[in-house]
Amino acid sequence: YSKFIFDILKDHTINNNMSSIKAIKKSNNVAVESLLASTPEFLASFESALGSHFTTASPSALESQYEATVTVSPDAINTPLVAALSAYKDLLAKSIESIQLLERFVMINIPKMEDGNNFGVTVQMTVAKALKDARENLLKKMETLLSYYNDRAAAVEKLALEKKSISKSSGSSTSESTSSKEDANEKKESTSSSTEEKSVATEDKAYPFRIMHLVALDVNAYVAAKAGLNDCFNEVIMVLDNVEKNKEKITSPKGSNGGSGHMGMY
């Protein structure tokens, strides 16, 4: 009897798990269809970012532009560059998220293992590998963004700019006196405060070269971000095109065509 109850509970658990997987599969398929339908808008967002933040013709032109600002205020944030990096980072994140959605789409459509008629599964595995490679490539690009801010902070620190130190002090005192006429105590309290500011400047003969290094860091970050954004653009085009071309084989790897179909990866 206990084995009978156990078998019932086991079957119930399996059925619940299968129902959950089917629900996930259904919602994932809907999300993928939405992603593929929005491909024109997605790709247009890359063109918009490139046109808004990455229009400088050459590194030398960019160098002149950055140098004019850095020379006046070397410790100021390069606002246009930071805006460009933020746009790049947003598109990287969206691309990685989209690729993960497509990876799940392939994964949950893999059929159970059987002998023969596995061409569709081969297509799934090939697409899955392309998605994995694209995701790992974009994740590495995301990591490289962190180094810019650290390198720039170190470069600014080495400029040995004039430093100010401010010290403040305050105090209070209480005095007590006795009047013989009134035979009473009188208390008086006084407070005082002072502020001292000191400026320390250090002469650095390498200062002009440090400025050039700072400008070069910004220029390099811009060029790398622009190249990275174009790479990301290409990766997104590739994965969306591959999934769209092979969607039938991904969703029905054991379809009626069997192994006679072809793979439209390229």
Side-chain angles (χ1 to χ4, degrees), residues 163-179:
K163 298 180 180 180
K164 293 183 178 180
S165 61
I166 300 175
S167 60
K168 294 182 178 180
S169 62
S170 62
S172 63
S173 61
T174 304
S175 61
E176 185 177 316
S177 61
T178 303
S179 172

Side-chain angles (χ1 to χ4, degrees), residues 74-108:
D75 57 345
I77 294 174
N78 188 332
T79 304
L81 176 59
V82 170
L85 294 178
S86 295
Y88 172 40
K89 182 167 56 178
D90 287 345
L91 284 169
L92 270 178
K94 184 177 180 181
S95 300
I96 292 168
E97 183 179 352
S98 298
I99 290 172
Q100 288 177 316
L101 175 67
L102 296 174
E103 285 184 294
R104 190 180 305 119
F105 174 63
V106 175
M107 179 184 66
I108 61 178

Side-chain angles (χ1 to χ4, degrees), residues 195-213:
T195 301
E196 183 180 6
E197 182 176 318
K198 293 181 180 180
S199 297
V200 179
T202 304
E203 184 179 358
D204 183 6
K205 293 182 179 180
Y207 183 83
F209 298 100
R210 297 193 190 281
I211 288 290
M212 292 171 66
H213 177 229

Side-chain angles (χ1 to χ4, degrees), residues 203-232:
E203 184 179 358
D204 183 6
K205 293 182 179 180
Y207 183 83
F209 298 100
R210 297 193 190 281
I211 288 290
M212 292 171 66
H213 177 229
L214 189 58
V215 171
L217 279 176
D218 285 358
V219 171
N220 186 66
Y222 175 96
V223 172
K226 184 176 182 179
L229 185 56
N230 276 303
D231 284 345
C232 183

Side-chain angles (χ1 to χ4, degrees), residues 66-74 207 211 214-215:
Y66 287 167
E67 187 175 5
T69 304
V70 170
T71 303
V72 175
S73 183
Y207 183 83
I211 288 290
L214 189 58
V215 171

